[in-house]
Amino acid sequence: MAGKNLVGPEADALDLGTVFRALADEHRRSVMTELAADRSDSERGCNSFNLPISKQTQTHHFRVLREAGLIDEIDYGNRKGIRLRRADIDKRFPGLLTLLGAESPGGTAPR
Amino acid sequence: MAGKNLVGPEADALDLGTVFRALADEHRRSVMTELAADRSDSERGCNSFNLPISKQTQTHHFRVLREAGLIDEIDYGNRKGIRLRRADIDKRFPGLLTLLGAESPGGTAPR
DNA sequence: CTTCAGGTACGATGCAAGTCGTACCTGAAG
DNA sequence: CTTCAGGTACGACTTGCATCGTACCTGAAG
């Protein structure tokens, strides 16, 4: 029943340019801001972000975030889980998540 | 003769999305990395970065950095000065310059 | 004055990226 | 089995952006 974790880059292989490019998009950054604000780092569903875009585009954005090494995607077949790679990000780019958290309007904020 | 400072956004008006978009480009990020590594924050000429691009494109990149609020451009008429807005960046996005400095090839890395 | 280098303005071009439509796959529930 | 919702694959479209060519401006030096 355990889904398989889709592959992303190793912690040491994270590239700052790729990360900045991933965070340049408003939708992806809003996802990361929400994830960074949740200190429990619990696994979340893809729909829990209420992104105002089609599901194909959501697939695209989550893929970009995963390939940048910012999130893990757990594949359950007909469902998908999202989890922030907080430890790896803090190790490679300390302060980055704090930067994102500072933009948080105060926790869970739709827009 | 003191040149006039070309306008950029106020420190409080810096937008994280605009900053990330500015830093997503390799050339602009290399400029910022060099500036962040120089703790003296001295004014620099536009040619001191040895960017492998035409001067029109350089004009474009420096404009993007200025409009993002990351640098000041001092216009001397037929010459231009570049200066890092370290204080404003540190105030609005603490840790960002450290992040850039960590990517510096031989610059000042935090130890 | 003329010349020249640094810089800008405008337009064109080529490429990367965000978005969605259609079709298809997967697993759970009837 | 069939149905259905979540997700993906592929392709097309459109926008944004980095780049450069041409022309022009600015100030300093002859």
Side-chain angles (χ1 to χ4, degrees):
Chain A
M1 164 90 169
K4 44 184 177 180
N5 198 329
L6 298 180
V7 289
E10 298 293 324
D12 294 337
L14 297 193
D15 174 63
L16 192 57
T18 306
V19 169
F20 279 150
R21 223 170 299 127
L23 295 176
D25 182 84
E26 303 286 334
H27 296 135
R28 290 195 293 262
R29 200 169 61 256
S30 76
V31 168
M32 290 299 296
T33 299
E34 265 195 57
L35 289 172
D38 177 21
R39 291 304 178 91
S40 72
D41 288 338
S42 55
E43 186 176 318
R44 297 188 51 172
C46 287
N47 301 0
S48 64
F49 297 98
N50 289 323
L51 296 175
I53 50 181
S54 68
K55 55 182 184 176
Q56 310 98 292
T57 305
Q58 291 190 34
T59 296
H60 165 68
H61 285 314
F62 285 122
R63 168 191 275 262
V64 171
L65 288 177
R66 172 173 57 87
E67 290 181 346
L70 297 174
I71 63 171
D72 277 331
E73 288 183 293
I74 300 95
D75 184 20
Y76 295 108
N78 68 340
R79 193 173 297 194
K80 202 173 55 176
I82 302 294
R83 190 181 297 141
L84 180 65
R85 292 180 61 178
R86 185 182 295 272
D88 291 334
I89 300 172
D90 282 341
K91 174 186 174 188
R92 189 76 174 81
F93 304 120
L96 179 61
L97 291 179
T98 306
L99 233 48
L100 286 168
E103 292 295 292
S104 176
T108 314
R111 124 172 131 126
Chain B
M1 182 193 280
K4 43 185 176 180
N5 199 328
L6 297 182
V7 288
E10 297 293 323
D12 294 337
L14 298 193
D15 174 61
L16 192 57
T18 306
V19 168
F20 280 150
R21 222 169 302 129
L23 295 176
D25 182 84
E26 303 288 333
H27 296 135
R28 289 194 293 261
R29 201 169 60 258
S30 77
V31 168
M32 288 300 295
T33 299
E34 265 194 59
L35 288 173
D38 178 20
R39 292 302 177 88
S40 72
D41 288 339
S42 54
E43 186 176 319
R44 298 188 51 172
C46 286
N47 300 0
S48 63
F49 297 98
N50 288 324
L51 296 176
I53 50 181
S54 67
K55 56 181 184 176
Q56 309 98 294
T57 306
Q58 290 190 34
T59 297
H60 165 68
H61 284 315
F62 286 122
R63 166 192 276 261
V64 171
L65 288 176
R66 171 173 56 87
E67 290 180 345
L70 296 174
I71 63 171
D72 276 331
E73 289 184 291
I74 300 95
D75 184 19
Y76 295 107
N78 67 341
R79 190 174 300 194
K80 201 173 55 176
I82 302 293
R83 188 180 299 143
L84 180 65
R85 292 179 61 178
R86 185 182 295 273
D88 291 334
I89 299 173
D90 282 341
K91 174 187 175 187
R92 188 78 174 80
F93 303 120
L96 179 61
L97 291 179
T98 306
L99 233 49
L100 287 168
E103 292 294 294
S104 175
T108 310
R111 1 197 130 219

